[in-house]
Structures are given as structure tokens and as C-alpha cells.
Amino acid sequence: IDAPSPLKAMIESGVGLVRWQTYADMTPELLDRLAQEAQNEIRNIAAAEGYVSAHVDVKVDHDAKPPVVTMTVTPGEPTRISDVDIDVKN
């Protein structure tokens, strides 16, 4: 996982692909599906931390034995809310 430290820790604990990495019956198809799902999971984790424009790249090297998955996250600038105006009406 190539990501800034705060995001890396959240990715390690929140992405299904990481939790399934030691699954003994992993198939290439399951690995590809988990890698595809990881992209959305990582984008959601980054967005929750304010990085709504994060670039996520997940690659699977099936030629390596065992296969190697590389997850790269370039978060960009975080979105910050500087002012909030709330109007409550009955």
C-alpha cells in the first residue's frame, strides 16, 4: 500500500482485499474482484477524510508467485469546509 500514513492505516483496516490476503483458496477471479472493489473502498475511505479527488490505482501482478497487489493512493488536497450557515425554519 503506497499511501500517506493516516490513509494507509485506514486502508489496512477497512479494505476487504487486505483482510482476504491470506485466504488459502484465493482464485485469480476472486483476487481480481476484490482488487476492483478495493478501488471504491479506498476512494470512500479517502473521501471520508476529506480527499474527495483522490486518485486510486490498484494493480494485480498475476505473473508473480504468489500474485502481488499494489495499491497506490494520491490523495491530492483535502476539501475543507471554512464556513457553514444553517437556517432552521418551522
Side-chain angles (χ1 to χ4, degrees):
I1 301 173
D2 181 14
S5 293
L7 286 178
K8 183 176 181 178
M10 294 178 77
I11 291 166
E12 288 172 343
S13 65
V15 173
L17 180 61
V18 176
R19 292 189 305 269
W20 284 82
Q21 67 182 332
T22 59
Y23 181 58
D25 295 327
M26 182 66 68
T27 64
E29 296 79 18
L30 177 57
L31 181 59
D32 287 339
R33 191 183 95 222
L34 289 169
Q36 186 175 34
E37 291 172 359
Q39 287 187 327
N40 289 330
E41 292 170 336
I42 294 168
R43 280 191 193 99
N44 289 337
I45 288 169
E49 293 299 306
Y51 299 101
V52 297
S53 300
H55 176 74
V56 178
D57 187 38
V58 178
K59 293 183 181 176
V60 180
D61 180 359
H62 288 286
D63 293 332
K65 300 297 178 209
V68 174
V69 177
T70 304
M71 294 181 266
T72 306
V73 182
T74 307
E77 290 296 316
T79 299
R80 298 286 182 220
I81 298 172
S82 61
D83 191 21
V84 176
D85 185 19
I86 300 175
D87 187 16
V88 180
K89 296 180 182 181
N90 275 336

